[in-house]
Amino acid sequence: MISSADLRADTPTWCPGCGDFAVLAALQRALPLLGVPRENIVIVSGIGCSGKISSYLRAYGFHGVHGRTLPVATGIKTANPDLLVIAAGGDGDGYAIGVSHFIHAARRNIDVTYIVMDNHIYGLTTGQTSPTSPRGFKSKTTPAGAAEEPVDPLALALASGAGFVAQGFSGEIGQLASICEQALRYRGFALVNVLSPCVSFNREYSYDWLREHLVDIDHEPGYDPHDYATAVRYVTEHHGLLRGAVYVSDRPGYVESLVGTRRPVDVDWEEPKARWPELVAEFN
Amino acid sequence: MEEIVFMVGGQSGEGIESTGDIFATALHRYGYWVFGFRHFPSRIRGGHTNYRVRVARHQVYTHGNRIDIMAAFDRESLDEFGALLSSGAAVIFDPSAGQSTPPAGIDVRLCPVPLGDLANKAGGAIMKNVVSIGAAAGLMGLDPGVFDSVIRDTFAKKGEKVVAANQKAAREGFAYAQEHFGVTHRLSPPVSSPGMILSGNEAVALGALAAGCRFLAAYPITPATSIMYWLVDHFPQFGGVVIQAEDEIAAINMAIGAGFAGARAMTSTSGPGFSLMMEAIGLAGMTETPVVIIDVQRGGPSTGLPTKTEQSDLNEMLGGTHGEIPRIVLAPSTIEQAYLITRRAFDLAEIYQCPVIIASDLFLGLARASVPVLPAPAPGDRGKLWDPSSQPAADGERFRRYRVTEDGISPRSLPGQRGGEFVATGNEHSEFGPEIEAPGIRVTMMQKRLRKLAKFDLGDDAVWYGGDEHPDVLLVGWGASWGALAEARSVLAAAGKKVGHLQVVAIMPLPVERLRPFLANAKDIVICESNATGQMEAHLRRYGLLPAQVRRVNRYDGNPLTAADVLALWDLHPRAEGRPGERDPAAMVLPGQLRLAGETPAEGWPVLDPGLAVSGAKGGGEARDQQR
Ligand SMILES: Cc1ncc(C[n+]2csc(CCOP(=O)(O)OP(=O)(O)O)c2C)c(N)n1
Ligand code: SF4
């Protein structure tokens, strides 16, 4: 059906070396494997360098306002469950301004793949501390070092009831593409937190540093992503420095539990017209 | 009598609402036209609450200016509302409960009824409310079984015993009142059967369903939540979905997502939630995504008066969001219009590909009244949807979702349509979608979007006018105050004034040329609105529609604007309803019908006829004895 080339749109304007290139490439590699026609793919993106991805992936796209990808994606998927819906944004977009939507999308288990390009910094606004920046992190907004503890996206996703939780690394594009494929096939809310270095504003989280510190749980002997307790333990013990599929549950997706055979996009005047006398009688 | 206003008052938690509802529905079923309005505090237990039901032989649009029969369960009923009692009013109370006395100087008839004892006799003290409405029905000379069917419907889920006990309670009250007081307020028999009884919020919800909307995302908020309740009950049967969002920011973004996907989608809220939606309203404007937003206004600012009415969100509806977008703001005046305008709003949102805001308010949203049968759904207009067969996408070229066209409106592709792929972005963008900052394209795209509404015209529905052809006094209103202004106009006309009533329905884009002739010639313009600063006045002024001096009636104490508020300017008072008034059909321009394109109006539908609103029809002479 579609090939990676069919999914190419505008040439990305990211800085050379930006981790977000790998995310785009991984999606372009994974999506053709699903057999979904391009017109049935929708990518909803937030505001940030990461948010530009909806202009670079050729499909239907919605580039919304800062932090609101998940509500928009929820609306699209619920209105037309036949679509494959991806939400994508940065760590500021998803874990600061949009964090409440993240928690609620997870507990709703809405059938959306959520890709966060987590560079531990605000890229587009040129380098401010983000909610995933570690305590003590120095930037223009925290020159004396950040006082706050960082959010751990994996732990937050697990605690919020997300059905699928994974972490990828832009330096491992093969694994990232395979994680994306699993997430896209998953029926329910799938978080793919991607450690995606910002080469311009965050030298601390470099490719080298991440490569050295990440534990690959896809190849961890005996690791069972279906076991919630193990997932929580690994995330805690390794301070989130994992890559691979962390947790996969068999909870039913939101849309499955909600929508019947008809879709809200099928605009219909006939049924209420046919049932009008019955509706009128209700108001008597 | 032509009409009677009944009030039941007590502490919240005492079942006042259900009692009022049972009374209103029963009288509606009996063949009268009712208008019910509840006054309630922002707490669940304690605090005075009351429910007023106006019962008339013809359609009425307010709960009236007086009370003829009051069932008082607490002191506040009389202390705070006693001044509204009409001469000869009946006050039902339980002599064993502490009662204050009615205000001096009003000739009222005290009707002590052992409500508690009679309720106990029927099966439990909890049914004292039902005994009281039974007694009221007795005073009105109705049928002892008038409440039977409504009680059955209301309590069916609780079992046959409860139904039977309540029916008995109503009959006990009825028999007691007839035996001890006789008929004090006999209503003339019904003349025409009303079609439906519903609230403004229910009318909005029904309008949405009728319009093909199948998606609501909302966050609970008084006084908008009952829209959500109705749709929660009904959308699933029609293939629709209601999502209880985590907040109003999520709610509107969900609705925008659903609209982008091709559903007819909406969100409903009140002031605080509406404020949270501002950024997303701009997003809908910029991405040209249809979305319908219902703002059931309440007292602001901030949390304000959560259970009281106001029309103070107008500025925000007109201008809320940063930057400049095309938007449509419509204000229904009556419950029927709430249905019609909502239905129409979904067409407009798709035709113009922009947000449509419906300005309702607590008074309109929660008032529950008899209306004629609402017109059945009919196919709407989905605007310029891209049709690949007749407009094939150029080979290899990407879809020009934001094609610059003469009217500014571009064919819209929907996800799932091959060849229509594009990215909708809140950034400034090119015809294809992706963001762009080039000044030339920016200006072209701004103009394209703003041009969309250049020719917008709601037609005859944009404004409503009733009254003298060359009025000296012109009452100007918008939204739910229609009934009060119509009534005030009628009294002014009866006092010999040349008076007109102009109601602004399309608020944005403002139908300037339709309004100008009315506003240009009137000598004494009185702008009546439920806010402190005169937001509609400022809006009209902005378009140069007003002379330097106008008069204003602003009410912002939380209660609906009434005819009395307006008439006070002339030291006049609302007439005692029920007397035949002068109708001036020759001078009356009937309101637009807000029908969909190609739909023919049903006979007799819906005439917002101020003559009827105030006077009832001919021949109601026996009501004269009930004037104050
Ligand atoms: C409501 C709002 N507040 C602030 C901004 C400014 N802003 C744009 S992007 C951004 C942060 C971007 O950081 P992140 O989400 O981590 O994305 P990145 O650029 O790193 O990919 C901010 C604060 C905005 N666009 N909207
Ligand atoms: S600033 Fe950072 S996040 Fe943004 S494109 Fe450049 S490298 Fe990527």
Side-chain angles (χ1 to χ4, degrees), chain A residues 20 47-51 66 90-93 97 117 119 121-125, chain B residues 279:
Chain A
D20 296 354
I47 300 299
C49 297
S50 45
H66 194 29
D91 41 302
D93 197 84
I97 192 166
M117 288 157 260
N119 50 18
I121 192 110
Y122 285 11
L124 189 67
T125 45
Chain B
E279 188 190 21

Side-chain angles (χ1 to χ4, degrees), chain A residues 105-110 160-163 186-188 249-253 256:
Chain A
R107 52 176 275 269
R108 210 171 263 136
N109 209 24
I110 179 74
S160 306
Y186 185 73
R187 290 163 156 271
S249 90
D250 48 17
R251 233 186 111 188
E256 237 167 282

Side-chain angles (χ1 to χ4, degrees), chain B residues 471-475 492 497-501 522-524 526 570:
Chain B
D472 294 329
V473 176
L474 181 64
L475 306 177
L492 285 165
K497 304 224 179 284
K498 288 172 75 183
V499 56
H501 167 192
K523 295 194 193 100
D524 182 11
V526 183
W570 291 269

Side-chain angles (χ1 to χ4, degrees), chain A residues 96-119:
Chain A
I97 192 166
V99 71
S100 97
H101 309 310
F102 174 61
I103 292 168
H104 293 284
R107 52 176 275 269
R108 210 171 263 136
N109 209 24
I110 179 74
D111 312 53
V112 164
T113 298
Y114 184 36
I115 298 183
V116 181
M117 288 157 260
D118 181 1
N119 50 18

Side-chain angles (χ1 to χ4, degrees), chain B residues 590-622:
Chain B
L590 287 180
Q593 312 252 333
L594 279 162
R595 54 193 180 267
L596 301 170
E599 192 179 64
T600 44
E603 201 178 327
W605 161 261
V607 272
L608 303 184
D609 181 333
L612 291 183
V614 179
S615 60
K618 316 103 222 180
E622 71 263 49

